[in-house]
Amino acid sequence: MSHVPETVTRHSLFEDAQALLVAPMFVAFAVLLFQQAGLLTGGTVGLAFLVHYLTGWSMGWVVFGLNLPFYVFAWRAMGGVFTAKTFISVALLSGYTALLPQVIVVQSVDRLFAAVMGGFLIGVGLLMIIRHKASLGGLGVMALYLQSTRGWRAGKVQMALDVAILGAGLFIRDPLSVGLSVVGALALNLVLAVNHKQGRYLGT
C-alpha cells in the first residue's frame, strides 16, 4: 500500500491559546503534588523548589522571578514569538501555582504516586508547550541557547543541570525524598521520550 503524504498545517491562534492556558495547569497540579509529598523536580521549577524549601517563599512568585533572566536567552535563541509565548506560559504557571492551593486541599497523598503522577503531568504539559513552539522558560531555554551558539547538545545540557539540581536537593531534603524525586524525573522523561520524536507530529 502506497504512503500518502499528510498535509502539514499550522496551529491556529485558538489552538495555541488553549495549549498555553491548559499545559501550565498540568504542571502546576504536579507542583502541588510534589509540595504535598515534599519532593522536587529538575529544571527551573526544580530550582524554585530548592528556593521554596530553603526560604518558605511562595512557589508561584519564585517560579516567576527565577525565569526573568532567561528571557534574554529565549529571545536570542528562538525569537520574539517564542519568547512571548514562553512569557505567557510561565506567567500562567506562576499564577496557577499560587491559585491551586486555595481551591484544592490535598490532605494525604502516597509519595510514590505523587512522584510518578507528578512526573507524568509535567511531561504532558511540556509536550503540549513544545508542540506549540513555546517553553516553560528557564534552564531549558538556556540549554537551547547554548546549543545554537556553542553547539552543545541541549538534551545533554538539560540532563546535566537536572542532575545538579536533584543532587543539590540532598542538602535540604532527605535521601528518600530525593530518590522519589528521581523517580518523578524518570516518569517525566519517559513521557517526552515516547511522545516527542522528530517527524511524527505534523502540526507546527
Side-chain angles (χ1 to χ4, degrees):
M1 186 172 65
S2 62
H3 174 71
V4 179
E6 298 181 64
T7 302
V8 177
T9 58
R10 292 188 176 277
H11 290 120
S12 67
L13 180 61
F14 172 78
E15 290 168 338
D16 279 343
Q18 68 82 30
L20 299 186
L21 283 170
V22 172
M25 187 169 290
F26 282 126
V27 179
F29 192 77
V31 169
L32 182 68
L33 289 176
F34 283 156
Q35 280 185 286
Q36 177 64 33
L39 308 179
L40 65 154
T41 187
T44 311
V45 174
L47 281 178
F49 268 117
L50 293 178
V51 174
H52 169 72
Y53 288 137
L54 283 170
T55 65
W57 295 347
S58 165
M59 272 292 292
W61 283 110
V62 173
V63 168
F64 186 80
L66 284 179
N67 273 285
L68 290 176
F70 294 100
Y71 293 118
V72 175
F73 295 113
W75 186 280
R76 292 179 177 178
M78 304 298 289
V81 174
F82 176 90
T83 304
K85 288 181 178 179
T86 296
F87 180 84
I88 292 169
S89 300
V90 172
L92 287 171
L93 173 60
S94 301
Y96 292 152
T97 299
L99 175 65
L100 282 184
Q102 300 180 39
V103 297
I104 300 175
V105 178
V106 181
Q107 294 183 338
S108 177
V109 62
D110 180 85
R111 301 183 78 202
L112 179 59
F113 173 83
V116 174
M117 182 55 68
F120 286 161
L121 287 170
I122 295 177
V124 171
L126 287 176
L127 190 65
M128 291 176 66
I129 289 290
I130 291 168
R131 286 183 172 179
H132 289 265
K133 308 299 184 185
S135 80
L136 288 176
L139 298 176
V141 169
M142 187 176 73
L144 290 172
Y145 175 77
L146 291 173
Q147 178 173 274
S148 66
T149 58
R150 301 192 179 185
W152 298 358
R153 293 287 297 275
K156 291 183 178 179
V157 172
Q158 183 71 59
M159 182 182 298
L161 292 170
D162 288 348
V163 169
I165 290 168
L166 291 170
L170 288 169
F171 294 97
I172 59 174
R173 306 300 298 168
D174 60 278
L176 176 58
S177 295
V178 175
L180 289 170
S181 298
V182 171
V183 172
L186 292 174
L188 187 166
N189 284 283
L190 176 64
V191 172
L192 294 180
V194 171
N195 294 282
H196 184 57
K197 294 184 178 180
Q198 192 70 26
R200 284 194 177 179
Y201 187 68
L202 299 179
T204 61

